[in-house]
Short mmCIF file of all heavy atoms in Angstrom, two decimals:
data_model
loop_
_atom_site.label_atom_id
_atom_site.label_comp_id
_atom_site.label_asym_id
_atom_site.label_seq_id
_atom_site.Cartn_x
_atom_site.Cartn_y
_atom_site.Cartn_z
N SER Q 543 123.54 -6.77 -4.19
CA SER Q 543 123.95 -8.13 -3.84
C SER Q 543 122.82 -9.11 -4.07
O SER Q 543 123.03 -10.30 -4.18
CB SER Q 543 124.40 -8.20 -2.38
OG SER Q 543 123.29 -8.22 -1.53
N THR Q 544 121.58 -8.59 -4.11
CA THR Q 544 120.45 -9.48 -4.37
C THR Q 544 120.72 -10.27 -5.63
O THR Q 544 120.50 -11.46 -5.70
CB THR Q 544 119.17 -8.66 -4.56
OG1 THR Q 544 119.07 -7.76 -3.47
CG2 THR Q 544 117.95 -9.54 -4.59
N ARG Q 545 121.20 -9.56 -6.63
CA ARG Q 545 121.45 -10.22 -7.89
C ARG Q 545 122.65 -11.17 -7.80
O ARG Q 545 122.66 -12.22 -8.39
CB ARG Q 545 121.66 -9.19 -8.99
CG ARG Q 545 120.46 -9.13 -9.93
CD ARG Q 545 120.29 -7.78 -10.53
NE ARG Q 545 119.81 -6.80 -9.58
CZ ARG Q 545 120.24 -5.57 -9.51
NH1 ARG Q 545 121.18 -5.15 -10.30
NH2 ARG Q 545 119.73 -4.74 -8.63
N GLN Q 546 123.63 -10.75 -7.01
CA GLN Q 546 124.82 -11.60 -6.92
C GLN Q 546 124.57 -12.87 -6.11
O GLN Q 546 124.96 -13.94 -6.49
CB GLN Q 546 125.96 -10.84 -6.26
CG GLN Q 546 126.58 -9.80 -7.17
CD GLN Q 546 127.47 -8.88 -6.37
OE1 GLN Q 546 127.96 -9.25 -5.31
NE2 GLN Q 546 127.66 -7.68 -6.86
N VAL Q 547 123.95 -12.69 -4.93
CA VAL Q 547 123.86 -13.82 -4.03
C VAL Q 547 122.46 -14.42 -3.95
O VAL Q 547 122.26 -15.43 -3.31
CB VAL Q 547 124.33 -13.45 -2.60
CG1 VAL Q 547 125.76 -13.04 -2.62
CG2 VAL Q 547 123.46 -12.39 -1.99
N GLY Q 548 121.50 -13.78 -4.58
CA GLY Q 548 120.14 -14.31 -4.53
C GLY Q 548 119.52 -14.05 -3.18
O GLY Q 548 120.03 -13.29 -2.37
N GLY Q 549 118.38 -14.67 -2.91
CA GLY Q 549 117.72 -14.48 -1.63
C GLY Q 549 116.67 -13.41 -1.73
O GLY Q 549 116.66 -12.60 -2.66
N THR Q 550 115.78 -13.40 -0.78
CA THR Q 550 114.63 -12.51 -0.88
C THR Q 550 114.76 -11.31 0.03
O THR Q 550 113.97 -10.39 -0.05
CB THR Q 550 113.36 -13.27 -0.46
OG1 THR Q 550 113.53 -13.73 0.88
CG2 THR Q 550 113.12 -14.45 -1.35
N GLY Q 551 115.74 -11.32 0.92
CA GLY Q 551 115.83 -10.21 1.87
C GLY Q 551 114.82 -10.34 2.99
O GLY Q 551 114.65 -9.42 3.78
N LEU Q 552 114.16 -11.47 3.05
CA LEU Q 552 113.16 -11.66 4.11
C LEU Q 552 113.62 -12.70 5.13
O LEU Q 552 113.03 -12.85 6.20
CB LEU Q 552 111.83 -12.12 3.50
CG LEU Q 552 111.05 -11.05 2.75
CD1 LEU Q 552 109.93 -11.69 1.96
CD2 LEU Q 552 110.50 -10.02 3.70
N GLY Q 553 114.68 -13.41 4.79
CA GLY Q 553 115.11 -14.54 5.61
C GLY Q 553 115.31 -14.22 7.09
O GLY Q 553 114.72 -14.85 7.95
N LEU Q 554 116.12 -13.20 7.38
CA LEU Q 554 116.42 -12.90 8.78
C LEU Q 554 115.20 -12.37 9.51
O LEU Q 554 115.04 -12.59 10.71
CB LEU Q 554 117.58 -11.92 8.87
CG LEU Q 554 118.95 -12.55 8.58
CD1 LEU Q 554 120.03 -11.49 8.58
CD2 LEU Q 554 119.28 -13.64 9.59
N SER Q 555 114.36 -11.66 8.78
CA SER Q 555 113.13 -11.17 9.39
C SER Q 555 112.26 -12.35 9.82
O SER Q 555 111.67 -12.36 10.91
CB SER Q 555 112.41 -10.30 8.37
OG SER Q 555 111.17 -9.92 8.84
N ILE Q 556 112.21 -13.37 8.99
CA ILE Q 556 111.45 -14.58 9.33
C ILE Q 556 112.11 -15.29 10.52
O ILE Q 556 111.44 -15.70 11.47
CB ILE Q 556 111.37 -15.54 8.11
CG1 ILE Q 556 110.51 -14.91 7.02
CG2 ILE Q 556 110.84 -16.89 8.51
CD1 ILE Q 556 110.45 -15.69 5.73
N VAL Q 557 113.43 -15.38 10.47
CA VAL Q 557 114.16 -16.02 11.57
C VAL Q 557 113.80 -15.36 12.89
O VAL Q 557 113.44 -16.02 13.87
CB VAL Q 557 115.69 -15.92 11.34
CG1 VAL Q 557 116.46 -16.24 12.60
CG2 VAL Q 557 116.11 -16.86 10.22
N LYS Q 558 113.85 -14.03 12.91
CA LYS Q 558 113.59 -13.32 14.15
C LYS Q 558 112.16 -13.55 14.62
O LYS Q 558 111.91 -13.81 15.80
CB LYS Q 558 113.86 -11.83 13.97
CG LYS Q 558 113.51 -11.02 15.20
CD LYS Q 558 114.52 -9.90 15.43
CE LYS Q 558 114.15 -9.04 16.62
NZ LYS Q 558 113.60 -9.76 17.75
N SER Q 559 111.20 -13.44 13.69
CA SER Q 559 109.80 -13.64 14.07
C SER Q 559 109.58 -15.02 14.67
O SER Q 559 108.88 -15.18 15.66
CB SER Q 559 108.89 -13.48 12.86
OG SER Q 559 109.11 -12.26 12.24
N ILE Q 560 110.18 -16.01 14.06
CA ILE Q 560 109.97 -17.38 14.56
C ILE Q 560 110.63 -17.55 15.92
O ILE Q 560 110.01 -18.07 16.86
CB ILE Q 560 110.53 -18.41 13.56
CG1 ILE Q 560 109.70 -18.40 12.27
CG2 ILE Q 560 110.53 -19.81 14.17
CD1 ILE Q 560 110.24 -19.29 11.18
N VAL Q 561 111.86 -17.11 16.03
CA VAL Q 561 112.57 -17.30 17.31
C VAL Q 561 111.86 -16.56 18.44
O VAL Q 561 111.75 -17.06 19.56
CB VAL Q 561 114.05 -16.88 17.18
CG1 VAL Q 561 114.74 -16.96 18.53
CG2 VAL Q 561 114.77 -17.77 16.19
N ASP Q 562 111.32 -15.40 18.12
CA ASP Q 562 110.54 -14.67 19.13
C ASP Q 562 109.38 -15.52 19.63
O ASP Q 562 109.10 -15.58 20.83
CB ASP Q 562 109.97 -13.37 18.54
CG ASP Q 562 111.04 -12.28 18.45
OD1 ASP Q 562 112.12 -12.49 19.02
OD2 ASP Q 562 110.78 -11.24 17.83
N ARG Q 563 108.71 -16.18 18.70
CA ARG Q 563 107.57 -17.00 19.09
C ARG Q 563 108.00 -18.20 19.92
O ARG Q 563 107.21 -18.75 20.69
CB ARG Q 563 106.82 -17.49 17.84
CG ARG Q 563 105.87 -16.46 17.27
CD ARG Q 563 104.64 -16.23 18.15
NE ARG Q 563 103.87 -17.44 18.39
CZ ARG Q 563 102.91 -17.87 17.60
NH1 ARG Q 563 102.58 -17.19 16.54
NH2 ARG Q 563 102.26 -18.97 17.88
N LEU Q 564 109.24 -18.65 19.75
CA LEU Q 564 109.71 -19.80 20.50
C LEU Q 564 110.34 -19.37 21.83
O LEU Q 564 111.02 -20.15 22.47
CB LEU Q 564 110.75 -20.57 19.68
CG LEU Q 564 110.23 -21.17 18.36
CD1 LEU Q 564 111.37 -21.77 17.55
CD2 LEU Q 564 109.18 -22.24 18.64
N ALA Q 565 110.09 -18.12 22.22
CA ALA Q 565 110.61 -17.58 23.48
C ALA Q 565 112.14 -17.56 23.48
O ALA Q 565 112.77 -17.67 24.51
CB ALA Q 565 110.09 -18.38 24.68
N GLY Q 566 112.71 -17.45 22.29
CA GLY Q 566 114.17 -17.43 22.20
C GLY Q 566 114.69 -16.05 21.82
O GLY Q 566 113.95 -15.07 21.83
N ARG Q 567 116.00 -16.00 21.52
CA ARG Q 567 116.63 -14.73 21.16
C ARG Q 567 117.53 -14.97 19.96
O ARG Q 567 118.12 -16.04 19.84
CB ARG Q 567 117.53 -14.22 22.30
CG ARG Q 567 116.83 -14.07 23.62
CD ARG Q 567 117.82 -13.61 24.69
NE ARG Q 567 118.87 -14.60 24.94
CZ ARG Q 567 119.34 -14.87 26.14
NH1 ARG Q 567 118.90 -14.23 27.20
NH2 ARG Q 567 120.30 -15.77 26.31
N VAL Q 568 117.64 -13.96 19.11
CA VAL Q 568 118.60 -14.03 18.01
C VAL Q 568 119.60 -12.91 18.20
O VAL Q 568 119.22 -11.79 18.56
CB VAL Q 568 117.94 -13.78 16.63
CG1 VAL Q 568 118.85 -14.28 15.53
CG2 VAL Q 568 116.60 -14.43 16.53
N SER Q 569 120.85 -13.20 17.99
CA SER Q 569 121.85 -12.13 18.05
C SER Q 569 122.95 -12.48 17.04
O SER Q 569 122.94 -13.56 16.47
CB SER Q 569 122.42 -12.03 19.46
OG SER Q 569 122.92 -13.29 19.87
N PHE Q 570 123.84 -11.52 16.85
CA PHE Q 570 124.93 -11.84 15.92
C PHE Q 570 126.19 -11.11 16.33
O PHE Q 570 126.15 -10.11 17.04
CB PHE Q 570 124.54 -11.48 14.48
CG PHE Q 570 124.30 -10.02 14.25
CD1 PHE Q 570 125.33 -9.18 13.83
CD2 PHE Q 570 123.04 -9.47 14.47
CE1 PHE Q 570 125.11 -7.83 13.63
CE2 PHE Q 570 122.82 -8.12 14.27
CZ PHE Q 570 123.85 -7.30 13.86
N GLU Q 571 127.31 -11.68 15.91
CA GLU Q 571 128.60 -11.02 16.09
C GLU Q 571 129.20 -10.94 14.71
O GLU Q 571 129.08 -11.88 13.93
CB GLU Q 571 129.52 -11.88 16.96
CG GLU Q 571 129.07 -12.03 18.40
CD GLU Q 571 129.79 -13.17 19.08
OE1 GLU Q 571 130.99 -13.35 18.81
OE2 GLU Q 571 129.15 -13.89 19.84
N THR Q 572 129.86 -9.83 14.43
CA THR Q 572 130.41 -9.73 13.09
C THR Q 572 131.71 -8.93 13.11
O THR Q 572 131.90 -8.07 13.96
CB THR Q 572 129.37 -9.11 12.12
OG1 THR Q 572 129.86 -9.23 10.80
CG2 THR Q 572 129.08 -7.66 12.45
N GLU Q 573 132.57 -9.25 12.17
CA GLU Q 573 133.87 -8.58 12.09
C GLU Q 573 134.14 -8.31 10.61
O GLU Q 573 134.10 -9.23 9.79
CB GLU Q 573 134.95 -9.51 12.69
CG GLU Q 573 136.36 -8.97 12.59
CD GLU Q 573 136.50 -7.61 13.25
OE1 GLU Q 573 136.31 -7.53 14.47
OE2 GLU Q 573 136.78 -6.62 12.53
N THR Q 574 134.33 -7.04 10.30
CA THR Q 574 134.53 -6.71 8.89
C THR Q 574 136.01 -6.52 8.55
O THR Q 574 136.37 -6.46 7.38
CB THR Q 574 133.78 -5.43 8.51
OG1 THR Q 574 134.03 -4.45 9.52
CG2 THR Q 574 132.29 -5.67 8.40
#
Side-chain angles (χ1 to χ4, degrees):
Chain Q
S543 78
T544 309
R545 253 151 287 140
Q546 286 167 25
V547 298
T550 59
L552 287 168
L554 285 175
S555 173
I556 292 175
V557 165
K558 176 142 178 38
S559 305
I560 292 175
V561 175
D562 283 350
R563 279 289 302 272
L564 297 173
R567 305 178 296 219
V568 197
S569 54
F570 64 92
E571 293 164 38
T572 189
E573 177 57 63
T574 46

